[in-house]
Amino acid sequence: MHQESEEARSGLFVKTFGCQMNEYDSEKVATLLSSDFRTVEDPKDAEVVFINTCSVRQKGEQKAFSLLGTLKDLKRSNPALVIGVGGCVAQQEGEAIIQRNPDVDFVVGTHNLSLVPSLVRGARSGLRRQVAVDYRDEWEDLPDAFLPQEGGDNPLYSVRALVSIQRGCNKRCSFCVVPTTRGPEVSRLSEEIVREAALKVRLGAKEVVLLGQTVNSYGRDLSPRVSFDALLRKLSEIEGLKRIRFTSPHPADVKPGFIKLYGEMPQLCRHIHLPLQSGSDRILKLMNRNYRKQRFLEIVDQLKTACPDIALTSDIIVGFPTETRADFEETLDVMKQVEFASSFSFKYSVRPNTTAKEDFSEADLVDDAEAGMRLQELQAIQSNLSERINRAKVGKTLEVLVEGRNKKLSSLMRGRIPENTLTELQGGSPEPGELVLARIDRASPHGLKGTIVSSEAIDGPRK
Ligand code: 5AD
């Protein structure tokens, strides 16, 4: 990046809550604004603050509003500061966000990101209370402006490139607010996906993470239809792309052809994030999850057969309305049988516009303290499983894709093994984007530590 342009551009502070789709949207916002704004780490250095919100659980929503609260003083000392709110809460609440917090200059929905530059310009020229949350198709609308420019100032591209393949969701999980905030499922054209992935690889990415609410239902709405497997195969032809990941597939959409890819496609990382949500058939039915415990375990067996070292990770909800101790134990049973390498686990949170909110009364809710204890118990079991799985890697030499500096210990670099486990590296001075071989020395429930034994970039397809 050129020094002059760094100084000429104003500061943009972006805070992202929630999922990788939100991270991707934040990247788009930074890219759209990059000719006038550079991203800064501290809101004090910013002329524009953009908060990308998440409404999946109440806690995340609260965090966004408390951040907005802390910006009050900044706005007092710099009345020209522009504050924008985007993401799922913005989509859902619209104008109400400004009523609740008059410091907010604009609210932009999940399908209106192409409007951000004009909303910022409007706010800077004195327009207040701008709200843009009407659904519109941004993929047809400015796709190139969202993409980093070859030879340009690219604020946020990295070793790991996020690429959205679909938006919205047609599943109707009873607990989930996403279908109302992101709309129905729409697949992006596979040519566009490949073009974006290839561009990001040319700009230095080595890994692509495909994003969608249920990635393995990709392409059913396209004509001609394109399967998720076919999309993966097309992506695997991109030269220089070393690793492919995706998040998240839905168990009900797992097909045999997809499982087979794990044994066939060297770029496909031996990791799958497969949300379980619950191990109890009764609760799965109430969640409207369209699979049962036995089917989930069968899929896992098939995956392990196709790829014996595969790491499985998951999302789990405890304390869904009416969940009994016995239901919860079914969930623990699946966890132990599968041996998840890690999991994200949450206490059920009542969300607006969900069928679970309508279908259950106060009396059906699991006592909060009880749900808290279940969550703790589950997380303790997970921690043991994770530690055991990570320990089994000590002494092995594994391939690590170097991503950058360790956040806490800035002298150490960190990266990920194909299983996605975070790995701190010592020895040598690898650059982000390099594939190195590291001998694993230590393990904790959260990650690995290793020593680089070959600092040469490993070229060609992975073995
Ligand atoms: N309460 C608790 N957890 C939820 N999730 C989604 N909606 C809720 C809710 N209402 C969790 C699911 C999902 C992850 C992204 O968030 O586990 O997979």
Side-chain angles (χ1 to χ4, degrees):
M1 261 180 219
H2 302 296
Q3 203 57 40
E4 311 86 71
S5 61
E6 276 296 88
E7 281 163 13
R9 293 186 298 164
S10 312
L12 165 70
F13 174 79
V14 180
K15 175 69 191 176
T16 309
F17 293 94
C19 66
Q20 283 175 311
M21 192 66 84
N22 264 11
E23 273 174 41
Y24 179 77
D25 286 346
S26 290
E27 277 182 20
K28 281 190 193 167
V29 167
T31 304
L32 277 171
L33 294 174
S34 63
S35 54
D36 296 326
F37 292 90
R38 73 202 146 90
T39 48
V40 295
E41 301 284 320
D42 188 333
K44 289 196 188 76
D45 302 325
E47 273 78 45
V48 173
V49 169
F50 184 76
I51 302 176
N52 203 349
T53 58
C54 170
S55 58
V56 156
R57 288 172 299 277
Q58 202 184 0
K59 231 190 204 167
E61 213 173 290
Q62 281 161 354
K63 277 191 205 157
F65 282 111
S66 65
L67 172 61
L68 273 175
T70 64
L71 293 173
K72 256 199 184 87
D73 289 344
L74 268 188
K75 185 100 174 178
R76 297 287 167 276
S77 57
N78 174 18
L81 178 71
V82 172
I83 301 177
V85 177
C88 289
V89 181
Q91 183 65 50
Q92 200 155 33
E93 308 261 323
E95 172 86 35
I97 291 180
I98 301 183
Q99 272 156 14
R100 184 167 159 183
N101 197 316
D103 287 333
V104 173
D105 296 286
F106 70 86
V107 174
V108 63
T110 49
H111 292 57
N112 298 80
L113 290 180
S114 59
L115 299 177
V116 168
S118 64
L119 291 167
V120 168
R121 270 197 305 277
R124 292 185 117 192
S125 66
L127 284 180
R128 306 287 332 274
R129 307 176 80 95
Q130 301 177 88
V131 179
V133 292
D134 299 328
Y135 284 118
R136 44 181 274 166
D137 194 341
E138 71 199 23
W139 280 337
E140 258 79 64
D141 198 2
L142 275 183
D144 285 339
F146 286 133
L147 295 179
Q149 303 297 307
E150 272 173 291
D153 279 344
N154 295 305
L156 285 168
Y157 91 86
S158 61
V159 172
R160 158 187 286 240
L162 306 178
V163 178
S164 162
I165 68 166
Q166 70 187 168
R167 67 155 186 246
C169 188
N170 282 354
K171 298 280 188 288
R172 287 291 173 270
C173 301
S174 61
F175 51 80
C176 188
V177 72
V178 168
T180 58
T181 62
R182 298 250 171 198
E185 183 179 317
V186 181
S187 297
R188 202 175 166 199
L189 291 177
S190 60
E191 296 78 19
E192 283 296 311
I193 296 166
V194 172
R195 187 166 77 97
E196 177 172 346
L199 171 63
K200 289 183 168 172
V201 169
R202 283 202 298 282
L203 291 169
K206 296 286 187 277
E207 175 175 311
V208 160
V209 185
L210 306 176
L211 303 180
Q213 298 303 328
T214 57
V215 286
N216 53 337
S217 65
Y218 171 81
R220 287 181 194 164
D221 54 327
L222 294 173
S223 77
R225 283 171 84 148
V226 182
S227 68
F228 182 56
D229 313 2
L231 176 68
L232 290 172
R233 274 192 233 102
K234 280 192 196 179
L235 287 160
S236 73
E237 286 164 15
I238 296 175
E239 206 171 320
L241 176 55
K242 306 286 186 189
R243 290 183 171 184
I244 301 175
R245 300 184 191 277
F246 49 82
T247 192
S248 299
H250 191 294
D253 290 326
V254 170
K255 298 278 171 338
F258 161 76
I259 292 176
K260 254 179 66 193
L261 286 182
Y262 275 96
E264 293 170 357
M265 189 179 286
Q267 297 91 336
L268 192 58
C269 287
R270 47 178 188 262
H271 167 223
I272 186 167
H273 184 77
L274 196 62
L276 167 69
Q277 311 301 1
S278 170
S280 151
D281 284 352
R282 193 181 68 81
I283 297 292
L284 285 169
K285 186 157 187 250
L286 293 174
M287 288 177 162
N288 197 23
R289 287 291 287 176
N290 298 332
Y291 57 86
R292 299 293 174 259
K293 176 181 178 183
Q294 222 35 55
R295 172 66 187 141
F296 190 92
L297 291 171
E298 194 180 289
I299 293 168
V300 169
D301 270 354
Q302 290 167 355
L303 284 163
K304 286 182 176 174
T305 306
C307 179
D309 294 330
I310 196 165
L312 287 121
T313 59
S314 203
D315 289 347
I316 297 169
I317 296 175
V318 303
F320 187 82
T322 76
E323 184 189 73
T324 62
R325 176 77 208 173
D327 291 317
F328 173 62
E329 281 174 7
E330 293 285 331
T331 302
L332 299 182
D333 181 50
V334 178
M335 278 180 75
K336 291 176 195 163
Q337 285 197 53
V338 175
E339 301 196 301
F340 290 124
S342 67
S343 58
F344 297 111
S345 46
F346 315 99
K347 255 195 307 193
Y348 171 73
S349 165
V350 182
R351 303 314 290 141
N353 301 318
T354 57
T355 49
K357 181 175 191 286
E358 304 298 311
D359 292 350
F360 297 103
S361 67
E362 194 74 14
D364 296 321
L365 297 182
V366 174
D367 172 70
D368 193 58
E370 172 63 25
M373 282 191 301
R374 288 181 195 169
L375 187 66
Q376 268 188 11
E377 185 177 344
L378 183 149
Q379 288 176 344
I381 290 170
Q382 181 60 63
S383 181
N384 281 334
L385 280 175
S386 303
E387 184 161 28
R388 181 144 38 95
I389 289 169
N390 289 347
R391 276 231 186 101
K393 300 204 158 47
V394 172
K396 291 192 171 156
T397 298
L398 300 174
E399 179 202 280
V400 182
L401 176 58
V402 181
E403 290 183 357
R405 293 210 175 277
N406 191 330
K407 287 205 179 93
K408 285 186 210 130
L409 275 173
S410 62
S411 64
L412 288 183
M413 297 298 277
R414 62 167 168 72
R416 285 169 201 269
I417 58 173
E419 292 88 330
N420 210 31
T421 319
L422 265 179
T423 306
E424 281 175 13
L425 295 165
Q426 54 181 23
S429 43
E431 292 292 318
E434 248 180 82
L435 277 170
V436 299
L437 288 176
R439 192 195 57 240
I440 304 303
D441 306 316
R442 286 170 62 188
S444 76
H446 314 291
L448 303 169
K449 288 198 167 100
T451 306
I452 296 175
V453 294
S454 153
S455 57
E456 308 244 308
I458 305 163
D459 272 321
R462 295 186 305 116
K463 297 277 166 345

